[in-house]
Amino acid sequence: MASLSEADTVRSWLDNFEDQDRQAAIDLVNEVLLISRDDFIEELNSLLDSLSGSKACPKKIALYAERPIKKVFGNTPCFFPNSRHGRAEGSGVPPIVADPRNQEVGSEGIVANLITDYSRRKGEFCISHPGPNKLRSEKVRVIGVVTDFIGSGQRIIRMLDSLGFVATLNSWTSYKLIKFVVLAYSGTTEGLKAVRSHRLRPEVRVVMGCPTIQNSFVGERRKEVERICHTQPKRHPEPLGFLASGALIAFSHGCPNNTPPILHSRRSGWRPLFHGRSTSELPSELFRIDECNAHDQRTHRLLDIRDARNKLDSSKNEEWVAVLKVLAAAEKGLRDPDEISARVRMKINSVDNILKLAIQARWLNCEHRLTQLGMRELTRFRRRRRKAPLLVGSDESFYYPTQLRAL
């Protein structure tokens, strides 16, 4: 199966659409990034390893799962009880539990379990959800807030506000005794910018950028996709998702409310793909769609390479094609590594490495804009792929037929 739209479950959802809307629906669903439970856990653990293993963070780390912070009489409360003024004391916040009036526990429960497991494996170096007394006695120097996804950034910002209202933490921050880090699997560009601009100035680390309608489609394709999102379900107040985020991502534990309601809402009798934002009804194999096929299609769109699969199958050419994909994204006006990651579906650390190489090769400038040399490389590559196959010589370097060298 080469794309999501070929799955039986998704085909049933596509039956909702008239013929004139079906192609736009196919385009939309094929851009949805599905994250399996194994990939989610593995990549977040790697992200935590990058924090705990960093030379910049040699001290002990406190980890907290992002949780909803409810306002009290219109005000955001302190994260630790009775700590707005004076010395913070106590054992901290209670573990994440279900509200008796609403038994639903969201992704924060899954993230909390991940933190518990990680802190057990790391011993005393990482501490799970400590209170003020523990923070002080263990001389914690990094507070990490962990979540699955940053959409608008409002939930993380409210939690950072709550932490910032703790007088003791404010004091430690002003003396540069403590720093805040937010870790997430993915996030929209707008949400990440909002969190990074918080007054606590947290460092934000994500595994990869989030594909959205805005960064996945251009021109008429985008207009058509947005049109069907405004059409179904009928009269929905947020047709592109919360704050018009247009996020195209879903985890094995559910999809965020920043995704278009056409994917998850049952309003006005609409039959969604993700009922109630749950992805549990999807076959597990949908979360393991062959990555080579996905890369093949994306490379074909970005680079116009008809035989992209053959290129990606070559260990000698794979890194070069990855660089060219990033260059093609830069050609389309993407500058931020988060946006490029979302567009080409590569992990942010890989994108960062390629950007550094491209700048060093003078294919990009420091603002990630294509240079004349970079544009020439893309143009030459596209011409050669149309005219002749790329051959590999015995010395394992690229060999081009003589008649093409003048191009």
Side-chain angles (χ1 to χ4, degrees), residues 131-348:
N133 292 347
K134 190 81 169 178
L135 289 172
R136 188 177 292 109
S137 63
E138 296 292 340
K139 296 183 179 179
V140 168
R141 291 295 177 261
V142 179
I143 290 181
V145 180
V146 187
T147 186
D148 60 342
F149 179 71
I150 299 175
S152 65
Q154 288 189 0
R155 283 207 352 168
I156 282 284
I157 288 173
R158 186 172 292 182
M159 184 165 173
L160 291 172
D161 285 341
S162 183
L163 286 164
F165 289 145
V166 177
T168 297
L169 295 183
N170 249 331
S171 175
W172 292 348
T173 302
S174 64
Y175 283 106
K176 301 187 184 302
L177 296 176
I178 201 166
K179 64 177 290 189
F180 292 87
V181 181
V182 175
L183 305 102
Y185 188 97
S186 185
T188 66
T189 300
E190 293 74 16
L192 296 176
K193 287 179 179 177
V195 174
R196 287 183 175 121
S197 64
H198 190 272
R199 66 182 181 86
L200 292 179
R201 291 292 182 262
E203 178 185 347
V204 181
R205 300 188 183 192
V206 295
V207 175
M208 68 184 302
C210 175
T212 65
I213 290 176
Q214 295 82 353
N215 65 30
S216 297
F217 302 102
V218 295
E220 289 301 318
R221 288 182 73 226
R222 176 173 169 179
K223 289 180 181 178
E224 283 299 298
V225 168
E226 289 183 341
R227 180 183 63 79
I228 64 169
C229 288
H230 281 84
T231 303
Q232 299 293 347
K234 296 178 180 179
R235 297 181 294 278
H236 197 286
E238 295 179 312
L240 298 182
F242 185 63
L243 294 183
S245 300
L248 300 177
I249 191 170
F251 299 88
S252 59
H253 54 263
C255 71
N257 65 351
N258 304 85
T259 54
I262 196 172
L263 295 172
H264 61 76
S265 176
R266 287 177 285 189
R267 187 185 180 97
S268 303
W270 178 250
R271 290 182 295 128
L273 179 60
F274 307 130
H275 294 267
R277 295 198 285 119
S278 170
T279 59
S280 61
E281 294 182 2
L282 291 181
S284 58
E285 60 266 21
L286 291 189
F287 290 88
R288 296 190 296 270
I289 288 179
D290 182 51
E291 289 190 5
C292 289
N293 285 328
H295 282 309
D296 184 37
Q297 294 176 2
R298 194 163 301 280
T299 303
H300 176 76
R301 287 202 300 271
L302 289 173
L303 302 179
D304 297 325
I305 305 172
R306 294 185 179 182
D307 56 345
R309 182 63 180 271
N310 292 333
K311 295 286 296 171
L312 291 173
D313 284 344
S314 170
S315 61
K316 300 180 182 67
N317 299 346
E318 185 175 356
E319 184 175 349
W320 188 44
V321 173
V323 172
L324 290 167
K325 287 164 66 178
V326 172
L327 289 180
E331 180 188 35
K332 296 181 183 298
L334 301 181
R335 305 283 176 255
D336 191 283
D338 300 333
E339 292 180 323
I340 296 173
S341 167
R343 184 62 179 268
V344 302
R345 303 293 173 89
M346 291 169 57
K347 302 294 191 295
I348 284 182

Side-chain angles (χ1 to χ4, degrees), residues 20 41 59 115 161 217 219 287 294 328 337 341 383-385 391 405:
Q20 66 269 21
I41 293 175
K59 303 295 183 180
I115 290 173
D161 285 341
F217 302 102
F287 290 88
S341 167
R383 285 177 179 172
R384 284 176 174 161
R385 297 315 303 141
L391 304 177
R405 288 178 178 167

